[in-house]
Amino acid sequence: MSLITARFRSAALSHNTAVNIILPDDGPTEDIPTLYLLHGMHGDHTGWCRNTAIERYAKDRGIAVVMPDGENSFYHNMKYGKDYFTYVADELVDYTRRVFRLSHKREKTSICGLSMGGYGAFLLALRRPEQYTACANLSGCIDMPARLQRCNWVRCATAIWGEDFATCTKDTESDLMWLIRNFPADKPKPRMFACCGRQDALFGDNLNFRDFMADQPFDFTFTEDNGDHNWLFWDKWVAPAIDHMHAV
């Protein structure tokens, strides 16, 4: 595998940004199956390579992995900040497909993330379902309206949603459950995978989401395991998540 750091100017962000990309050294030279892999809060585009064996997991499966920098945006177009949803959902996908010959096919494209990035993966797949065949959420902030009522990252939340962040996201496109309840009938549904550690502070929210999904017409799989909100858990579960998303 090759590990490439690409730096380019993003029109959506209005500044230069960086993305790490893992590419197979053998196999197809175009139409490469691709995983977009998102970091969590306080992370950046280097986190997955620094803290997990993602290069080995990608090599074993013959896939490309694209890891952008999303800052602390929750992958939104921020009220007082940058347009990270537009960047990751549209500009990044177009750029990486053109420059690195990644697959344009939905059935060969998936998205996954941890914590903030897990929320982002579900958000992007539900709002761009024609682009991703599957999505995975590892220890995700999965119930955003509930989380924002008790968050201690007030400055970040205000920058993303505004001063009324604690009440403004329910029944909007920031609310994953609302997106699922109002999913367009004419759009293809992404397969969804989520897992969370029993010792994780977000475990209760994940169980609530699991119960909510039991009545929804989605292919959804939830797995729980012993583990906390840390890289030990995410390194253990990212490979099974990839296998689930890319299963034929």
Side-chain angles (χ1 to χ4, degrees):
M1 305 296 286
S2 297
L3 174 61
I4 299 166
T5 299
R7 299 182 182 276
F8 66 102
R9 181 168 179 79
S10 163
L13 303 178
S14 298
H15 65 71
N16 291 345
T17 189
V19 56
N20 273 3
I21 303 165
I22 299 169
L23 288 174
D25 290 335
D26 50 16
T29 58
E30 57 186 22
D31 194 32
I32 303 169
T34 307
L35 168 66
Y36 290 85
L37 189 57
L38 308 181
H39 66 77
M41 203 169 187
H42 312 303
D44 65 11
H45 63 290
T46 68
W48 281 101
C49 287
R50 292 170 61 199
N51 295 286
T52 75
I54 187 62
E55 287 187 68
R56 176 161 54 84
Y57 304 148
K59 177 179 175 61
D60 291 345
R61 292 156 180 81
I63 64 171
V65 182
V66 178
M67 296 161 283
D69 188 344
E71 294 194 359
N72 290 335
S73 67
F74 276 83
Y75 302 95
H76 273 71
N77 289 345
M78 304 168 69
K79 183 167 184 177
Y80 304 120
K82 302 162 189 173
D83 289 346
Y84 273 100
F85 180 85
T86 300
Y87 166 60
V88 177
D90 301 323
E91 186 179 21
L92 177 73
V93 173
D94 176 68
Y95 171 79
T96 53
R97 284 176 169 176
R98 283 187 295 104
V99 174
F100 298 101
R101 301 178 182 249
L102 306 183
S103 181
H104 289 238
K105 297 176 182 175
R106 177 180 184 268
E107 63 267 24
K108 292 187 175 183
T109 307
S110 62
I111 186 165
C112 174
L114 67 89
S115 193
M116 178 187 84
Y119 166 84
F122 275 9
L123 179 77
L124 288 152
L126 291 168
R127 292 183 60 184
R128 293 289 188 273
E130 67 283 351
Q131 195 156 265
Y132 306 101
T133 190
C135 52
N137 184 319
L138 310 183
S139 312
C141 295
I142 211 159
D143 185 349
M144 189 55 64
R147 192 67 183 165
L148 287 172
Q149 291 178 20
R150 57 183 191 272
C151 85
N152 57 6
W153 30 280
V154 172
R155 290 181 65 184
C156 287
T158 302
I160 299 165
W161 291 284
E163 290 78 6
D164 58 344
F165 65 84
T167 58
C168 73
T169 61
K170 187 172 177 58
D171 296 334
T172 72
E173 288 188 330
S174 294
D175 182 345
L176 298 179
M177 296 183 192
W178 184 89
L179 288 171
I180 289 165
R181 288 194 302 268
N182 293 276
F183 193 83
D186 61 342
K187 297 287 188 180
K189 293 182 176 70
R191 290 182 289 108
M192 303 175 72
F193 175 90
C195 67
C196 192
R198 298 184 188 97
Q199 290 72 43
D200 195 310
L202 298 176
F203 185 59
D205 286 351
N206 275 260
L207 291 182
N208 291 339
F209 188 84
R210 177 203 62 186
D211 295 343
F212 164 78
M213 289 299 293
D215 297 323
Q216 304 303 318
F218 278 76
D219 181 346
F220 174 74
T221 299
F222 178 80
T223 300
E224 62 180 79
D225 190 12
N226 286 325
D228 211 330
H229 204 77
N230 56 37
W231 283 108
L232 184 66
F233 185 85
W234 301 322
D235 186 42
K236 177 180 179 180
W237 278 101
V238 67
I242 294 170
D243 291 339
H244 184 88
M245 289 187 291
H246 285 262
V248 177

